[in-house]
Amino acid sequence: MSNIKVGMNLEATRHHDKPFVWGLDCAAEMGYEYVEPMVHFGRELMSEAGYYHTWSLFDDPIKMRRLCEDRGLKISGLQAHGPLGCPDRHGEYLKMAIRFAAECGAPVVNTDEGIKAPWTTEAEDWVLMRYTLQEAAFVAEERGVKIGLECHAQYSKTPEGLEKLYRLVDSPCMGFNLDTGNAYLAGQDPYDWFEKIVDRSVHLHAKDITIEHSDEERGKVTGTPVGCACGEGVIDWQRFIQIAQKCPRDLVFSVECGTIDQAKRSLDHLNSFLK
């Protein structure tokens, strides 16, 4: 039976224009046990200037780990999304993120297939995605890191599509990171979907969707960057927790919302069921 923990995806700080460490401080002060950082390749102005929450893969993973440990936080996973069908772009980034995860203490690297190249066929995309994932799996297997496949774009928007993506590579490092809000907005039944993959889940993005957002976009999109506070939308969190308890490993529900206030209300709501 799985132990369910609650983490904060650091995207909750994105609209506050604050640096990585500020997000850690907020998570610790609110009582979160886990955080999920986003890593980027190379250097970019906003995070270097302290206006953005992402961490460069060119920086020291040990430093990230110690910054978290100093605040009593653990890393549930790293966000390393990109187009799996573009090995030249996402291949090296994903492999570097996996190596980084092994050093910073993140057990999971989350990714999805991203937006496809406009000039490739669907058949070509599956070959390219298999190449990227197999190369990443070779790196992950050696380090004991899991790859969490997320429902987010054109091929993973259905249970059948995400399952096909998972089966491209036969490796013990492959797993699922269901995004509850993305699954719902894609027009799927997120509870039934989770039931089908809970035994292979390695992480979960806890994203709630407001009624207004649902009315406007459900069935028209494959995902959304962040949701509302957990408990203030359409998702039945008690039901998700009950399903998650069937997982053979412990799971972190990493809250994906838009603000620090929403992150606090999400933690209170989820803990009301877990306690």
Side-chain angles (χ1 to χ4, degrees):
M1 181 175 176
S2 177
N3 290 312
I4 312 302
K5 306 293 185 179
V6 184
M8 187 180 89
N9 187 304
L10 288 175
E11 285 193 48
T13 71
R14 181 157 57 99
H15 296 297
H16 294 279
D17 295 333
K18 296 291 186 180
F20 178 82
V21 171
W22 184 84
L24 297 185
D25 288 336
C26 289
E29 289 167 8
M30 286 186 285
Y32 274 96
E33 186 177 354
Y34 289 87
V35 289
E36 183 187 1
M38 180 192 297
V39 290
H40 67 264
F41 191 83
R43 301 290 183 188
E44 52 80 33
L45 172 63
M46 299 305 285
S47 59
E48 293 292 320
Y51 300 129
Y52 207 57
H53 66 284
T54 64
W55 184 280
S56 173
L57 289 171
F58 288 3
D59 286 332
D60 190 353
I62 303 299
K63 181 179 178 181
M64 174 191 278
R65 188 182 74 197
R66 288 178 177 163
L67 286 170
C68 293
E69 290 174 345
D70 288 346
R71 291 158 177 80
L73 296 166
K74 290 172 275 192
I75 302 172
S76 66
L78 298 180
Q79 285 207 106
H81 293 269
L84 288 172
C86 300
D88 56 328
R89 290 164 54 191
H90 195 44
E92 291 305 316
Y93 167 55
L94 184 56
K95 287 186 285 186
M96 184 178 282
I98 291 166
R99 293 192 290 268
F100 190 101
E103 284 205 65
C104 77
V108 179
V109 172
N110 294 313
T111 191
D112 70 278
E113 80 272 31
I115 304 302
K116 72 183 301 306
W119 54 269
T120 56
T121 66
E122 182 174 339
E124 289 168 337
D125 286 338
W126 288 106
V127 174
L128 291 166
M129 290 189 292
R130 179 177 180 272
Y131 181 92
T132 304
L133 282 175
Q134 182 62 78
E135 286 287 308
F138 289 141
V139 178
E141 287 171 7
E142 293 290 338
R143 291 162 176 79
V145 174
K146 300 291 186 183
I147 298 174
L149 297 173
E150 182 175 336
C151 50
H152 214 317
Q154 61 278 317
Y155 298 129
S156 61
K157 65 182 179 180
T158 66
E160 297 76 20
L162 187 62
E163 184 73 25
K164 183 176 180 179
L165 190 63
Y166 170 85
R167 294 189 179 278
L168 286 177
V169 175
D170 182 13
S171 170
C173 73
M174 303 302 293
F176 292 111
N177 172 56
L178 186 75
D179 185 302
T180 59
N182 290 353
Y184 177 85
L185 283 177
Q188 305 299 320
D189 180 333
Y191 314 102
D192 180 64
W193 194 341
F194 193 33
E195 286 273 11
K196 292 175 180 174
I197 64 172
V198 66
D199 60 320
R200 293 167 289 160
S201 293
V202 295
H203 199 261
L204 184 133
H205 276 171
K207 182 187 290 179
D208 213 336
I209 304 296
T210 64
I211 293 173
E212 294 78 14
H213 191 176
S214 173
D215 290 343
E216 182 179 345
E217 290 197 322
R218 190 174 194 207
K220 302 174 184 177
V221 297
T222 61
T224 190
V226 293
C228 63
C230 293
E232 297 179 7
V234 298
I235 301 297
D236 182 343
W237 291 106
Q238 186 172 21
R239 187 173 175 186
F240 260 110
I241 289 169
Q242 289 170 344
I243 299 170
Q245 289 171 338
K246 302 174 186 177
C247 184
R249 62 185 62 81
D250 293 347
L251 274 184
V252 175
F253 279 39
S254 183
V255 172
E256 275 201 334
C257 58
T259 69
I260 289 299
D261 286 342
Q262 290 176 357
K264 179 63 171 69
R265 298 198 300 274
S266 295
L267 179 63
D268 292 342
H269 184 74
L270 292 173
N271 276 342
S272 71
F273 300 117
L274 294 172
K275 290 180 179 178

